[in-house]
Amino acid sequence: MRQTDGVQLPDPALVVLVGASGSGKSTWAAAHYRAAEVVSSDELRGIVGGGPHDLDASGDAFAVLETVVAARLGRGLTTVVDTLGLDPAKRRAWRDAARAAGLPAVAVLMDTPDVECRRRNAARDRPVPAPVLAGQLRSVRDVRPLLEAEGWDLVVPVRAEHAPEAPAPAEVRSTPDRTSSLGLRSVLQVSRFPWGEDPLDWLTGIARAADEAGFAGLALMDHLIQVPQVGRAWDPIPEPWVTLGAIAGLGTGLELGTLCTPVTFRPAGITAKAAATLSALTGGRAFVGIGAGWWEREHAAYGLTFPPARDRLDDLERAIVTMKALWASGTKAYDDHGVVLPETTSYPRPAGPIPVVVGGSGERRTLRIAAAHGDACNLRTTDEAELERLIGVLHAHCDDVGRAREEVAVTVLDLPVVGSDRDDVWARVERHRGRTPAATYAARTHAATVAGHRDRWARLAGLGVDTVFIATPDLGSPEDVLALRGLNA
Ligand code: GDP
Ligand code: MG
């Protein structure tokens, strides 16, 4: 008799292993029997064919296997058959041969969790294709009652010896911590694209400068027509996910995303796919700013519907839920918050969490959606008293929906005029103010030098602001970006 996992195995005997690839059959056999006692279809493929996985050699390998099994059983020798063991006809024939030779027939069923088989299979040099393994795992699930009915002398389940190891997390390229000495991070929002004849060259210069200037990330505005607040309708305003893909190729340490994507532009699943792809391409540094959309004209021009605000806000909530369902691990069905998905199969997987930044300051709905589903809100004011009030509203929603306040980061969109000295500040105010009175424009844009803005940002950090998205009216060249470096010190 042989002792295995507390079970006595008759010896000599026929032992037929049953289990999916990677379930540990060969390992178990090697631990309990002499090499000569084990007849393995993989090994025989390597002898009569090009290697253990040479499927073209299967016919010949099984012919040799049957010959070896018959010869050993005929001599009353212990024989361990190391194949998948999932073909009922083959199993029956081996069992009958054992009977004829007067040997007990034992089936050893590898009781290894599916995830563990998948993990071990994936770690192999030559993994079995995933659909093939899935088919094997299905057969293994159904095989137990068959074995009971087949009349084996003994059916021995073998448990995996070790608890399944957690799958190794996808390697996340460590993000440099770009929190400044002010206690906040800043993300450069690019909203105008004066790129002349060479768009990619211009983008490359801006992104490299943002990286060098210590920005934590780069955000692109998402509009179909340049908005009047920023430029003229015939100024270029590129599709952001395509553009971010190009920037991803530069290998900077920047987080990349939109601020903000209107929920009306793309079905949420498509945005989820774009962001997951960007996450995979950047080693986990993608984010999604998303809002309800506001500009009817661009929708009409591009043939998109522009539902009433209430419906857009409903869509916003469902969009966030949909994206998070698709980014979550696994592929299971989803049915919650009014979103029903029969499966959530979404590959590539994001290479890290994808923060969702909910844009807008609507107090009743937008901030509530941010509180319930967002990772951050983006408030469009930098007026400190107003900001404090809105953060209070956000936190009240958090308390109300049962979400920890610190789970929803506060971000602001800051549109400052930044000059190198007092003269430069006022020259810029004069250049950009249009018909707005100079003092009004200067106050609205907090026009100041870097040192002045740092004082203000320190107060924002004190109010609980985590990230400042900054867009200045002077983002024409890499030098303009580098001039902002002092903000990130
Ligand atoms: P087979 O395809 O069923 O023959 O599986 P193998 O015996 O070749 O095992 C597949 C992989 O799983 C190998 O890398 C083994 O080292 C590993 N393995 C097998 N059994 C165990 C076990 O009990 N615990 C752990 N942790 N690994 C095992
Ligand atoms: Mg094997």
Side-chain angles (χ1 to χ4, degrees):
M1 300 293 272
R2 275 168 194 264
Q3 182 80 21
T4 168
D5 305 329
V7 179
Q8 300 286 313
L9 287 185
D11 194 35
L14 165 73
V15 178
V16 172
L17 304 180
V18 180
S21 297
S23 60
K25 301 180 297 294
S26 303
T27 305
W28 182 87
H32 294 93
Y33 293 91
R34 295 189 302 121
E37 292 171 323
V38 181
V39 194
S40 151
S41 50
D42 279 357
E43 273 185 30
L44 290 174
R45 268 193 281 261
I47 290 170
V48 302
H53 308 288
D54 183 354
L55 294 183
D56 292 339
S58 286
D60 287 338
F62 270 92
V64 177
L65 182 138
E66 298 299 352
T67 304
V68 174
V69 170
R72 290 188 63 86
L73 293 179
R75 291 188 174 81
L77 295 170
T78 285
T79 307
V80 180
V81 183
D82 180 6
T83 68
L84 292 173
L86 294 172
D87 178 341
K90 284 202 173 94
R91 279 200 307 267
R92 263 194 306 276
W94 294 326
R95 182 207 57 198
D96 290 346
R99 289 275 153 73
L103 292 184
V106 179
V108 170
L109 175 60
M110 307 309 293
D111 206 2
T112 307
D114 290 4
V115 284
E116 183 68 2
C117 293
R118 287 203 191 89
R119 189 183 68 77
R120 291 184 198 163
N121 180 56
R124 282 182 153 160
D125 280 352
R126 295 278 307 263
V128 172
V132 173
L133 181 59
Q136 293 176 8
L137 292 169
R138 271 196 301 277
S139 302
V140 169
R141 226 167 291 150
D142 299 337
V143 83
R144 190 186 287 264
L146 295 180
L147 292 176
E148 300 298 337
E150 281 172 10
W152 295 82
D153 295 303
L154 193 61
V155 176
V156 182
V158 172
R159 304 204 167 280
E161 266 166 40
H162 311 288
E165 295 156 36
E171 192 160 329
V172 177
R173 221 182 299 161
S174 68
T175 306
D177 181 8
R178 293 189 172 175
T179 304
S180 74
S181 60
L182 300 173
L184 45 71
R185 301 156 0 111
S186 75
V187 172
L188 187 71
Q189 192 216 30
V190 182
S191 54
R192 40 172 72 71
F193 300 83
W195 56 28
E197 296 302 307
D198 194 340
L200 189 55
D201 183 63
W202 184 86
L203 282 168
T204 302
I206 295 290
R208 292 238 160 92
D211 198 30
E212 196 183 326
F215 285 100
L218 186 148
L220 295 185
M221 202 164 70
D222 191 358
H223 280 293
L224 299 169
I225 299 175
Q226 180 56 286
V227 297
Q229 296 89 325
V230 175
R232 302 161 301 185
W234 56 89
D235 288 334
I237 176 83
E239 202 287 330
W241 296 107
V242 171
T243 311
L244 290 168
I247 297 172
L250 302 176
T252 69
L254 296 167
E255 295 167 30
L256 301 178
T258 51
L259 196 82
C260 275
T261 279
V263 70
T264 43
F265 281 9
R266 304 168 191 83
I270 304 303
T271 303
K273 172 63 81 174
T277 304
L278 188 64
S279 177
L281 295 178
T282 57
R285 292 196 314 272
F287 61 89
V288 176
I290 189 163
W294 53 268
W295 201 26
E296 189 161 13
R297 173 178 162 191
E298 59 186 341
H299 294 80
Y302 281 73
L304 303 176
T305 55
F306 187 68
R310 181 201 307 183
D311 297 346
R312 300 201 308 277
L313 285 161
D314 288 346
D315 290 343
L316 175 62
E317 181 162 20
R318 279 194 295 266
I320 299 170
V321 169
T322 301
M323 292 191 297
K324 298 225 160 188
L326 285 165
W327 295 332
S329 63
T331 59
K332 54 193 175 300
Y334 186 89
D335 183 355
D336 205 355
H337 303 289
V339 173
V340 180
L341 306 170
E343 59 177 314
T344 50
T345 305
S346 175
Y347 298 91
R349 313 292 313 147
I354 302 179
V356 172
V357 184
V358 180
S361 304
E363 294 178 33
R364 205 179 55 82
R365 286 296 310 279
T366 308
L367 291 183
R368 192 171 185 85
I369 292 169
H373 305 289
D375 302 293
C377 66
N378 183 251
L379 304 173
R380 301 249 172 86
T381 182
T382 43
D383 177 271
E384 289 160 43
E386 177 66 354
L387 198 54
E388 191 165 17
R389 197 182 65 75
L390 288 173
I391 293 172
V393 173
L394 174 75
H395 286 168
H397 283 307
C398 285
D399 298 348
D400 211 33
V401 300
R403 187 100 184 276
R405 293 176 173 193
E406 56 276 11
E407 283 180 29
V408 189
V410 175
T411 78
V412 296
L413 177 59
D414 194 20
L415 308 168
V417 166
V418 187
S420 54
D421 57 30
R422 203 170 161 78
D423 274 341
D424 185 43
V425 168
W426 281 94
R428 287 169 194 270
V429 167
E430 219 28 53
R431 192 182 317 147
H432 296 301
R433 72 183 175 86
R435 292 192 193 148
T436 311
T440 308
Y441 186 81
R444 188 195 298 156
T445 57
H446 311 287
T449 60
V450 164
H453 288 295
R454 280 183 67 87
D455 290 345
R456 189 169 58 87
W457 281 16
R459 293 195 300 276
L460 296 182
L463 291 175
V465 171
D466 170 275
T467 300
V468 176
F469 287 87
I470 174 177
T472 75
D474 300 298
L475 279 187
S477 69
E479 289 67 43
D480 292 332
V481 177
L482 291 171
L484 303 174
R485 170 187 257 140
L487 290 170
N488 300 320

